[in-house]
Amino acid sequence: MRYPLFILLSLCIVLPSSAQTLDSLNLVDHRGKQWTLDEFSDDSILVVAFLGTECPLAKLYAVRLGEIAKDYQANGVRVVAVMSNRQDSLEEIGAFVARQKIDFPVLKDAGNAFADSVSAKRTPEIFVYDAKRKLRYQGRVDDQYGIGYVRDEPRRKDLRITLNELTFGQDVSVPSTQAVGCLIGRTKTTDPQSTVTYGAEVAKILNNRCVSCHREGEIAPFALTDYEEVAGWSDMIAEVVRDGRMPPWHATDDHATFANDRGMSQEEKETLYAWADAGAPSGDLTDLPLPPEKVANWRLPRQPDRIIPVSPTPFDVPAAGAVRYQYFKFDPGFTEDVWLEAAELKPGNREVVHHILAFAVPKGNYDRLDGARGFLVGYVPGQSPDIWPSGHAKLIPAGSELVFQVHYTPVGTEQQDQSQLGLCFADAESITHEVVTTSALQTRLKIPPGESDYTTTANSPPFPDKATLLSMSPHMHVRGKSFQYELVTGGKQTTILEIPAYDFNWQTSYVLQQPMAVPAGSRFLCTAVFDNSEDNLNNPDPTDTVRWGDQTWDEMMIGYFNYAVPRSSASAGKSGMTVRQRALRMAEIAARLKTFDKLDTDNDGKLQKSDTPKKIHPIFDELDKDSDGTLTRDEVQQP
């Protein structure tokens, strides 16, 4: 069998000598029952799993461990979970057990003494002991879930393979793998000489950089607003900041300046490192800085004027498997044009909602919906709601129907979601600029198997007269590697945004500190790089040739951006169309390009009428300007 490189490297891990034999266990569960090693004397194999109530990977694997416990019970296998985090109380452990529907014992390791005795470091981390309580395996459950990646199926089911081998009296083929997850929040001795404390420095940094997401009711899996909670996460905070995983910000600082830049200064980083190293001292907690102000239940500047349900009823999300994009329609009954000064799509269940796009389309045009060119409002993890500069707004034309596209991601347990759209209306008389969303996109994707640097480009529609650039939002899927926006004016190319390490889990909208005036006729040239190799841990199948498609295992290359034009210029441009009409026209062209690319199987940029379905012959004749019976890609793209 051929193993990926990271598995082969894990074979070199040497288990600490102190962990080779399980000599004792004496812990209490969330109900107060005492458990000792004698409780498991009749079990030939003991699986000890270190979990945590708020670690996302521990939540996923708690369900899988329950399945394994049931499947191997007849073989004398017993599963027991240990909670060693200082921040996990017995009450929280009890709620975790109920929420995850856990049937095996879950024990509290007060002061992390048991974790120390076996050298456990992360959640989830698995230790498998044989009948003599000799350690036979240490590491992960399997390789389906990791930091920043989710595969449809595991490539190697490490724990199940280990249990099968032990059950049949075989040696364990891979006795150790690298556990991936959250660091155990240990109780540590604080340095009394430390000048860095939570009260004096750390709380302020977290408020400025982290709390907008790490607070009750927001996207982050745990809050960072209470000292005891934060102290338990201190080592993990230091690790994710040092690795550049948090705060999530992927643009370089070599080009434009962004209003929503989440990046930490080096001084802030060093403060967090020093605090964790000092044992997370509390300092004076009597005068802590207040967290950022928040509108109740929303991230909008005020309560929305109207709240619209994304789905008519709660949607049931299965525990596992792939869920195709869901589409829901809603008629808001707008009999007059409506202007939006701010809008937010709010997931009803942040655990399972990956992204939502909302579109305003003329009634009866649902079949022509195409999000590649633009949308009304979008939600992706970590993105702030759309709040435009004063006097700027988006337009919902009278008679529009709202269509929602929702991408759900299973998390190991059955869930429900009913998300909402909050709209803040603006007085039409106060609007000076209309905001338009459009994009550069490349639908002709053919990413070869194993290719680690597949590069493609796309040009945007030209900017109209008096346009100002507001923001950029690159979109690719799990094979996305890097993305770049260059503004092309005449023969000059200027880089505006560069993302050297694209992350599908954090599709940020990069909002300019100041709107940028863009010469009429300029375009964006977007360049995207994809990694379809085995080295990409997100890659669902490195052997697949990947093309354009909506699902996560397909790919997209879209360089969304928002620009504004003076409202007066929306009445007539050189084309005789309003800005809104031009945007709709570009969406129509994008839809036609997708159809063209599907039919152009030999990728020569041409279609013969005889090779196209009869139902599209009227459109073919309309676009075939020279009536030569051959339709080119350039003809399809003409406005």
Side-chain angles (χ1 to χ4, degrees):
M1 179 179 292
R2 181 171 177 262
Y3 296 118
L5 177 61
F6 61 89
I7 287 183
L8 296 176
L9 290 175
S10 70
L11 294 176
C12 300
I13 297 173
V14 178
L15 299 177
S17 58
S18 60
Q20 292 301 308
T21 303
L22 184 61
D23 297 320
S24 65
L25 183 150
N26 191 347
L27 302 173
V28 65
D29 67 16
H30 65 285
R31 295 188 179 92
K33 177 182 176 180
Q34 200 77 24
W35 292 77
T36 67
L37 204 54
D38 291 340
E39 301 279 349
F40 308 101
S41 58
D42 293 335
D43 303 307
S44 58
I45 299 173
L46 182 61
V47 178
V48 178
F50 286 85
L51 302 178
T53 65
E54 294 173 312
C55 177
L57 294 184
K59 292 178 183 179
L60 287 167
Y61 278 114
V63 177
R64 185 152 299 171
L65 285 166
E67 297 169 352
I68 290 172
K70 291 179 181 177
D71 292 346
Y72 288 88
Q73 184 176 7
N75 296 332
V77 175
R78 189 75 173 274
V79 175
V80 57
V82 176
M83 301 283 200
S84 300
N85 287 332
R86 63 180 286 183
Q87 67 267 32
D88 288 339
S89 67
L90 287 174
E91 181 180 1
E92 290 167 329
I93 292 172
F96 178 84
V97 169
R99 185 172 59 249
Q100 304 300 114
K101 301 177 181 178
I102 296 175
D103 293 329
F104 50 83
V106 180
L107 315 180
K108 171 64 177 177
D109 175 24
N112 50 264
F114 181 74
D116 291 346
S117 71
V118 300
S119 300
K121 291 182 173 58
R122 296 190 180 268
T123 63
E125 186 169 6
I126 310 301
F127 294 76
V128 178
Y129 298 93
D130 62 18
K132 295 181 179 180
R133 299 305 177 242
K134 298 290 186 181
L135 182 62
R136 305 298 298 275
Y137 173 79
Q138 177 182 348
R140 65 192 178 208
V141 177
D142 56 45
D143 63 355
Q144 182 172 6
Y145 305 108
I147 302 299
Y149 68 87
V150 176
R151 299 188 175 112
D152 292 337
E153 295 290 338
R155 295 179 185 175
R156 191 177 195 277
K157 300 179 180 180
D158 302 276
L159 180 54
R160 285 185 177 271
I161 292 173
T162 295
L163 296 179
N164 289 338
E165 290 170 340
L166 291 176
T167 298
F168 289 100
Q170 301 171 355
D171 291 334
V172 176
S173 56
V174 181
S176 63
T177 57
Q178 187 69 49
V180 179
C182 306
L183 289 171
I184 292 173
R186 283 175 153 79
T187 301
K188 301 186 294 182
T189 301
T190 59
D191 180 1
Q193 304 301 318
S194 174
T195 58
V196 180
T197 66
Y198 177 80
E201 292 94 1
V202 173
K204 181 179 179 180
I205 294 173
L206 298 181
N207 275 354
N208 291 340
R209 303 296 188 183
C210 311
V211 167
S212 60
C213 290
H214 283 272
R215 69 196 306 175
E216 193 68 30
E218 287 297 339
I219 184 176
F222 50 85
L224 293 177
T225 54
D226 174 76
Y227 165 70
E228 286 297 331
E229 180 80 5
V230 176
W233 289 102
S234 60
D235 288 332
M236 194 67 199
I237 291 171
E239 178 178 276
V240 297
V241 171
R242 186 174 280 113
D243 291 348
R245 304 204 307 264
M246 288 287 155
W249 184 256
H250 304 96
T252 66
D253 57 6
D254 302 324
H255 308 292
T257 302
F258 300 99
N260 59 332
D261 189 340
R262 304 189 195 99
M264 284 186 180
S265 69
Q266 191 60 37
E267 181 181 358
E268 290 173 319
K269 294 177 182 179
E270 295 297 336
T271 298
L272 295 178
Y273 304 155
W275 181 65
D277 290 341
S282 63
D284 185 1
L285 302 179
T286 59
D287 190 23
L288 294 175
L290 295 175
E293 290 188 11
K294 182 179 187 295
V295 175
N297 300 317
W298 296 91
R299 302 179 73 183
L300 293 165
R302 57 183 172 84
Q303 285 293 328
D305 297 306
R306 184 168 179 186
I307 299 173
I308 292 172
V310 168
S311 58
T313 59
F315 180 79
D316 294 321
V317 182
V323 181
R324 289 191 171 273
Y325 285 15
Q326 299 297 307
Y327 290 88
F328 307 103
K329 292 189 290 185
F330 183 87
D331 184 356
F334 292 144
T335 57
E336 298 180 351
D337 288 352
V338 172
W339 290 92
L340 298 181
E341 66 177 9
E344 179 185 1
L345 279 162
K346 185 178 70 171
N349 185 340
R350 295 181 186 275
E351 286 195 82
V352 295
V353 176
H354 183 270
H355 79 254
I356 311 173
L357 293 179
F359 306 87
V361 299
K363 290 182 182 178
N365 281 258
Y366 172 78
D367 292 338
R368 294 171 64 185
L369 178 68
D370 192 301
R373 274 297 178 200
F375 50 87
L376 179 68
V377 189
Y379 162 82
V380 291
Q383 181 171 323
S384 298
D386 293 327
I387 301 172
W388 312 117
S390 177
H392 290 55
K394 273 196 170 183
L395 174 66
I396 303 180
S400 293
E401 184 175 44
L402 297 179
V403 179
F404 301 96
Q405 177 200 83
V406 190
H407 178 197
Y408 290 110
T409 303
V411 293
T413 57
E414 294 180 355
Q415 301 281 329
Q416 276 195 333
D417 169 72
Q418 188 170 28
S419 299
Q420 296 176 315
L421 171 63
L423 303 176
C424 292
F425 301 138
D427 181 359
E429 298 300 318
S430 69
I431 303 305
T432 60
H433 289 74
E434 179 178 351
V435 177
V436 177
T437 301
T438 187
S439 71
L441 76 154
Q442 178 57 265
T443 61
R444 297 172 68 87
L445 298 177
K446 188 178 180 181
I447 309 174
E451 174 60 56
S452 62
D453 289 292
Y454 177 86
T455 303
T456 188
T457 61
N459 287 293
S460 75
F463 281 93
D465 191 29
K466 299 179 181 179
T468 53
L469 177 65
L470 301 177
S471 63
M472 294 152 283
S473 305
H475 177 73
M476 298 187 284
H477 291 172
V478 295
R479 294 173 175 88
K481 185 174 182 179
S482 66
F483 207 99
Q484 179 177 284
Y485 287 74
E486 292 178 286
L487 187 65
V488 181
T489 305
K492 182 181 179 182
Q493 295 180 201
T494 304
T495 301
I496 307 298
L497 173 64
E498 186 174 6
I499 301 168
Y502 176 84
D503 187 343
F504 177 66
N505 299 289
W506 295 100
Q507 298 179 51
T508 304
S509 178
Y510 296 89
V511 182
L512 292 172
Q513 184 72 49
Q514 296 293 334
M516 177 188 296
V518 181
S522 299
R523 295 176 182 267
F524 264 134
L525 170 64
C526 290
T527 303
V529 181
F530 297 85
D531 183 355
N532 193 24
S533 71
E534 284 188 353
D535 294 333
N536 178 4
L537 297 180
N538 291 285
N539 197 345
D541 185 0
T543 67
D544 190 24
T545 297
V546 185
R547 301 178 186 271
W548 174 281
D550 285 341
Q551 299 304 314
T552 307
W553 52 84
D554 301 317
E555 267 304 338
M556 286 186 171
M557 188 283 194
I558 309 176
Y560 288 119
F561 58 96
N562 290 306
Y563 68 86
V565 290
R567 186 179 173 190
S568 59
S569 70
S571 59
K574 293 182 180 179
S575 66
M577 293 189 290
T578 67
V579 171
R580 179 72 182 177
Q581 289 170 331
R582 290 186 67 209
L584 290 174
R585 178 62 170 166
M586 295 311 299
E588 179 182 349
I589 292 173
R592 289 179 175 177
L593 280 173
K594 286 175 64 177
T595 301
F596 181 93
D597 290 340
K598 288 180 181 178
L599 295 173
D600 182 21
T601 55
D602 59 2
N603 295 316
D604 66 351
K606 299 178 182 179
L607 284 180
Q608 304 299 319
K609 187 174 181 179
S610 58
D611 295 331
T612 60
K614 289 184 178 180
K615 64 180 180 180
I616 69 169
H617 282 182
I619 298 176
F620 186 104
D621 293 336
E622 177 187 344
L623 298 177
D624 184 17
K625 300 299 183 184
D626 56 8
S627 301
D628 64 351
T630 300
L631 188 63
T632 67
R633 203 168 192 273
D634 288 340
E635 287 177 316
V636 175
Q637 294 185 82
Q638 292 302 313

